[in-house]
Amino acid sequence: MRKFILLFFVLFSLTVFSQEEQYSIVVKDIETQLPIENATVVILKTKQILSSNKEGKVTFMLTGGSNVQVSETNYETLTVRWTSLNGDQKFIVYLKSNNNKLDEIVLSKQSPQKVLQKLVDNSSKKLASSYRLKVYVREFFMLDNKYSYFNDGLVNFQFSGSPSTTLLVEQNRSYGLLETDVSADLRGYDLNNIMKNYNDFKYFDPLLDPKAKKEYDFIIRGHAKNKDYYVMYITPLDKAKEAIDNFEIIYDPEKKLIIEFKIDITPQNLDKLEEKTEMNSKNITRSFINVDYRVDGENYYLLGSNEEIAYNLILKDQVKKIQVRNSFITTNFNRQNFTYKESDVFKEKSLFNKRNKILTNYWDISGFVATDEEKAIIASLDFKL
């Protein structure tokens, strides 16, 4: 009996000490003391990838300790030893700015268009290999300047070198309500299609057209804070009739890989668009895309994305103001394929109509924790669709 009791306490102690603990990190600029958004935090023990929110915060679960790597394009990469954190469950990591000031114009024998074509070809080829991504996706929806709907989910994308992907949904939730005419419009948010666009760089198709030289101005500069990268700025010419998007593409000139790109539309360019009046037409009032990729040794994959679009939807007797903000955050990369049943494959366009499946508080350790403001929005919509 004594041996049994002793064995019980040993096993109980091992269980207690092996339990996962929740930790949080806030990433800040060492000089300004301001939080750094979109910093990449990698928990080296588990290979989990996190992205800091507007508050500079990430949250994760961990058994025991792990060194932590923190990086951001404009800052020096920092690896923090777990022992230096003293086991605290909340701690601050400070990053030092690169301050290279190398934003001079880059002279090239090739035209910027040809440089971009090579970047797209090489990057898309690298992304076409076989691997899987665990991705946290979420979407905020505003109707007439009020938040009316929210959804998020933890999903797995399997890439097998083919144009299509296999998508499995682990967990998801939806809160809020939408009107019928508006919800039908929302169903166009297609997870597989968006991921395919990120991998194929479809956003750059207008720039690779030979006629683009008459519509856009191309300039390549050294990255102001990172000597390893160049930046290609592409802006519509004043005389351009159709071009309205501004592009900023950060890339590695040695590896010929795209690291990040941003696309937005300025108010001046929006003025070029003729206002539509037909039923179900959309008049865009804002558009912004920011997509990041990660190079980790031989691995190259989507790290995260943020998209915002706002438009006025023309209905029969009224105009609805719609704003959608969605995010993709890769939380884990793996070369090993997952096994699944065909019935488990998610074949719908979006998580809109999928029944809530909540097994854990996945949103708190998803790789992209909500800010206090966002948590308040979600709480206000906290009733099932």
Side-chain angles (χ1 to χ4, degrees), residues 126-190:
K126 191 81 171 175
L127 290 168
S129 59
S130 180
Y131 60 90
R132 81 171 188 257
L133 296 181
K134 186 185 292 291
V135 179
Y136 174 63
V137 301
R138 75 178 189 186
E139 180 176 37
F140 288 92
F141 186 92
M142 290 184 74
L143 178 60
D144 293 332
N145 300 320
K146 292 183 179 179
Y147 285 98
S148 57
Y149 179 75
F150 167 83
N151 75 56
D152 68 3
L154 195 60
V155 305
N156 287 282
F157 287 93
Q158 175 65 55
F159 302 87
S160 56
S162 61
S164 60
T165 58
T166 301
L167 174 59
L168 301 182
V169 178
E170 286 189 15
Q171 303 186 62
N172 67 285
R173 58 179 178 161
S174 297
Y175 298 134
L177 291 172
L178 289 173
E179 301 166 10
T180 303
D181 49 10
V182 174
S183 61
D185 192 61
L186 178 65
R187 292 190 186 101
Y189 175 46
D190 189 324

Side-chain angles (χ1 to χ4, degrees), residues 71-75 77 98 100 102-104 106 220-232 249-255 257-260 293-295:
S71 61
E72 205 277 340
T73 304
N74 299 305
Y75 294 84
T77 298
N98 279 315
N100 287 310
L102 297 173
D103 59 347
E104 70 273 8
V106 175
I220 299 177
R221 293 181 178 274
H223 194 287
K225 292 188 176 181
N226 194 316
K227 60 181 176 58
D228 296 324
Y229 297 151
Y230 287 168
V231 186
M232 185 180 295
I249 304 167
I250 299 174
Y251 66 95
D252 186 324
E254 294 296 323
K255 296 179 180 178
L257 292 174
I258 295 171
I259 303 300
E260 178 183 352
Y293 299 86
R294 177 172 170 79
V295 180

Side-chain angles (χ1 to χ4, degrees), residues 270-284:
L270 279 174
D271 290 341
K272 294 180 182 179
L273 297 177
E274 184 177 346
E275 188 169 350
K276 302 173 184 176
T277 57
E278 297 85 3
M279 179 77 166
N280 294 322
S281 296
K282 301 176 187 176
N283 290 310
I284 297 175

Side-chain angles (χ1 to χ4, degrees), residues 77-90:
T77 298
L78 180 67
T79 299
V80 184
R81 294 180 64 84
W82 191 257
T83 52
S84 68
L85 301 172
N86 299 318
D88 293 338
Q89 289 179 281
K90 296 182 180 180

Side-chain angles (χ1 to χ4, degrees), residues 55-79:
E55 298 168 347
K57 185 178 180 180
V58 300
T59 303
F60 58 97
M61 300 294 291
L62 184 66
T63 301
S66 171
N67 293 346
V68 176
Q69 185 186 75
V70 188
S71 61
E72 205 277 340
T73 304
N74 299 305
Y75 294 84
E76 295 179 2
T77 298
L78 180 67
T79 299

